[in-house]
Amino acid sequence: TATVCYFPSGIVADKIRVRTLAWVGFTSTAMLTYLYAMLPSFAVLRFVFIGMGVTTILIWWGIRFKLVRLISEEDTYSRNIGISYGLYGAAGLLVGFISMKIIEWFADSAAVGIQSLLIFLGTLILILGILSFFFIPKFEGEIDPTKKSFDMRQIREALRNPVVWISAACLFCVYFFYTGVNQTTGYMKDVMMIAPGTVLIVGTVRTYGVSLISGPVFGTIAAKLGSPSRVIGFGSVVVMIGLAVFAFLPAQASLAYVAVAMAILLAFIANGVFGICSSQLTEGKVPVRVFGTATGLLSVVGFMPDTFSYIWFGSIRDAHQDNPTVAYNQIFLILAGAALIAAVCAFTLIVVACKRNVEEDADAREDA
């Protein structure tokens, strides 16, 4: 359901100002969170979760990429979206630690702990809504003033743009191996037999620590090179090689530190590459007026691995319960194949973008 909502959320972002979508999305989510904190009946909880699907994914999510695009030039979007992911990771880390502390403070009463946590989260979201209302400006050219109603031509323009589809295919493969890299945790625990405490530390660093720096680093590199697709392509090749090495890495205690280092490195590259995928739309010069719709389509296709990857990998592990090494080898080779396809898509987009730029330059000279 979430995956399907991304496309209409992008269309909404092209029809309503991001300021409105931001404060309405945040404040309505806060109200639902407060309702959740009352620990209502199961029927009411179903309403809450459906409502959050609308207020977060349908209303708010589609504006994030477009908001970053509106405050960026084409050549700075890669850097800014990378910084955005870095801030996202930092905020997630901070809120996660505070949430754990709240639960610890009310360890004697689980219900009170959950209520306190939800009130804290609801208040935080409400503050974001208030800040959005007062500080997000009305951007010039954000919405075409001559088009007041729903216009199918904008959707067709996004759907007919080859850059959008190539970017979507690239994100699909990148997101597939980005989420699949967490399989290294199970590999280290079940195959390498590394101590659970060490595995937990590696998992925490991979999930939180890496995201703080990988997005800004990769965004800056992409901005300096002037081609996020080039960074995505070469990054995907490195991930492909690393996953292939993991697939054939001997399960020896002497190689435990090698496995730990590789797991963190792969997470760093995968996280950084994932963070700049939407930059391919600016590289291919997708117009701002349809950027929300384009990112909606990008998200629908790109995040589709969520609908099958975990079930697929779980079935592979179940089929080889007696020999987990075989299961993880298969999984890593599948992920390596996805990384290879991602690299091919990224390099293909470079060619398409260059061709479009040449055509635009020729048209500009003719007009002059």
Side-chain angles (χ1 to χ4, degrees), residues 73-98:
E73 299 296 335
E74 285 186 353
D75 57 350
T76 60
Y77 177 81
S78 298
R79 182 197 64 201
N80 291 342
I81 195 66
I83 293 173
S84 171
Y85 272 100
L87 294 173
Y88 173 80
L93 181 61
L94 179 60
V95 172
F97 279 129
I98 295 175

Side-chain angles (χ1 to χ4, degrees), residues 5-233:
C5 283
Y6 286 124
F7 187 44
S9 74
I11 297 173
V12 170
D14 282 335
K15 296 299 178 183
I16 304 175
R17 293 192 180 277
V18 294
R19 175 194 178 197
T20 302
L21 291 172
W23 77 261
V24 169
F26 278 129
T27 54
S28 57
T29 301
M31 296 302 104
L32 289 170
T33 305
Y34 286 139
L35 178 57
Y36 191 3
M38 297 172 64
L39 303 183
S41 66
F42 179 68
V44 175
L45 282 179
R46 290 168 70 177
F47 164 77
V48 168
F49 293 142
I50 293 173
M52 285 184 173
V54 173
T55 62
T56 59
I57 298 173
L58 185 59
I59 295 179
W60 184 84
W61 184 263
I63 74 166
R64 179 166 174 259
F65 291 127
K66 184 162 185 177
L67 179 58
V68 176
R69 178 65 184 91
L70 287 169
I71 63 173
S72 310
E73 299 296 335
E74 285 186 353
D75 57 350
T76 60
Y77 177 81
S78 298
R79 182 197 64 201
N80 291 342
I81 195 66
I83 293 173
S84 171
Y85 272 100
L87 294 173
Y88 173 80
L93 181 61
L94 179 60
V95 172
F97 279 129
I98 295 175
S99 299
M100 287 190 293
K101 284 298 181 182
I102 292 175
I103 295 298
E104 289 178 7
W105 291 336
F106 298 96
D108 296 334
S109 177
V112 175
I114 292 297
Q115 285 182 311
S116 301
L117 174 59
L118 290 171
I119 291 173
F120 162 70
L121 294 174
T123 302
L124 179 61
I125 296 170
L126 180 59
I127 291 172
L128 292 174
I130 295 172
L131 293 175
S132 298
F133 181 81
F134 286 105
F135 291 102
I136 295 179
K138 294 181 178 180
F139 295 95
E140 183 179 355
E142 177 182 354
I143 297 175
D144 189 343
T146 64
K147 297 177 180 178
K148 301 293 186 182
S149 61
F150 187 77
D151 188 355
M152 284 295 296
R153 285 178 295 181
Q154 287 187 249
I155 300 177
R156 286 197 297 268
E157 183 178 352
L159 292 174
R160 290 175 178 175
N161 194 323
V163 171
V164 175
W165 288 104
I166 297 172
S167 299
C170 188
L171 178 59
F172 176 93
C173 295
V174 168
Y175 188 70
F176 189 28
F177 71 70
Y178 161 73
T179 55
V181 165
N182 62 20
Q183 296 293 320
T184 57
T185 300
Y187 175 83
M188 289 186 290
K189 180 172 64 73
D190 300 333
V191 178
M192 299 293 290
M193 299 298 177
I194 297 175
T198 302
V199 174
L200 179 61
I201 292 173
V202 174
T204 302
V205 171
R206 187 197 64 222
T207 303
Y208 297 110
V210 163
S211 62
L212 295 177
I213 56 176
S214 60
V217 168
F218 274 73
T220 301
I221 294 173
K224 288 186 176 181
L225 292 179
S227 175
S229 294
R230 188 177 304 173
V231 178
I232 294 169

Side-chain angles (χ1 to χ4, degrees), residues 199-274:
V199 174
L200 179 61
I201 292 173
V202 174
T204 302
V205 171
R206 187 197 64 222
T207 303
Y208 297 110
V210 163
S211 62
L212 295 177
I213 56 176
S214 60
V217 168
F218 274 73
T220 301
I221 294 173
K224 288 186 176 181
L225 292 179
S227 175
S229 294
R230 188 177 304 173
V231 178
I232 294 169
F234 285 115
S236 297
V237 169
V238 174
V239 170
M240 177 192 69
I241 295 172
L243 289 166
V245 170
F246 247 116
F248 298 103
L249 188 68
Q252 300 175 1
S254 59
L255 295 175
Y257 289 109
V258 175
V260 168
M262 286 183 58
I264 294 175
L265 176 62
L266 287 175
F268 178 82
I269 298 174
N271 196 298
V273 166
F274 167 69

